[in-house]
Amino acid sequence: LSRLLAEETENHRAQQLATNYNEVSQSMYQQKALTMDEQLKYQFSEPVGQYLAQYQEINERIRERKKRCHEMDKLTTESNKLRAKSESGNPMTESRLSSVRESYEDIN
């Protein structure tokens, strides 16, 4: 009887140790996973995000450049038509054209 009790107690202790080990190892695994997630975020996600953000800025500048180029072309055509009609052209269109041309050259 005492031998059975000793075996049962030993089995119970082994189960407790196994349960404690599982809890500790799960806790350690979760901590490691968090640490790995933080490292992944720091070493990969953030740099990739910053890299891709550069392209957004570049695309915005390209759109602005195209817009200014179209505006300059439109005013150049308009100015040429006015020059063809009259020899002096329109001073207002000429001044707008020069300011748009400067604006376009600034972005380049």
Side-chain angles (χ1 to χ4, degrees):
L1 184 62
S2 65
R3 188 174 186 190
L4 288 174
L5 284 174
E7 285 180 15
E8 195 172 306
T9 304
E10 193 172 313
N11 286 340
H12 183 67
R13 283 184 192 163
Q15 286 178 344
Q16 283 181 336
L17 285 173
T19 303
N20 287 344
Y21 177 77
N22 284 337
E23 289 174 1
V24 168
S25 62
Q26 285 177 353
S27 174
M28 287 174 58
Y29 175 76
Q30 289 172 347
Q31 288 174 350
K32 294 273 186 196
L34 286 176
T35 303
M36 288 175 64
D37 286 343
E38 290 171 0
Q39 288 177 353
L40 183 64
K41 180 182 173 187
Y42 177 72
Q43 293 176 353
F44 180 76
S45 297
E46 288 178 1
V48 168
Q50 292 171 353
Y51 178 75
L52 294 176
Q54 294 174 6
Y55 285 102
Q56 291 173 348
E57 184 177 332
I58 290 170
N59 287 333
E60 288 174 15
R61 290 182 59 98
I62 289 171
R63 272 186 296 241
E64 180 66 25
R65 182 183 179 277
K66 284 180 182 179
K67 178 183 164 188
R68 290 183 185 183
C69 182
H70 289 299
E71 189 175 342
M72 185 179 68
D73 290 344
K74 178 183 166 188
L75 286 173
T76 301
T77 304
E78 187 178 316
S79 175
N80 289 339
K81 285 180 184 177
L82 289 173
R83 276 191 205 136
K85 286 182 182 178
S86 67
E87 292 195 17
S88 64
N90 187 340
M92 225 171 160
T93 305
E94 295 292 328
S95 67
R96 282 181 51 209
L97 179 60
S98 65
S99 71
V100 168
R101 188 172 283 141
E102 286 175 18
S103 173
Y104 176 75
E105 289 171 0
D106 286 344
I107 203 164
N108 282 327

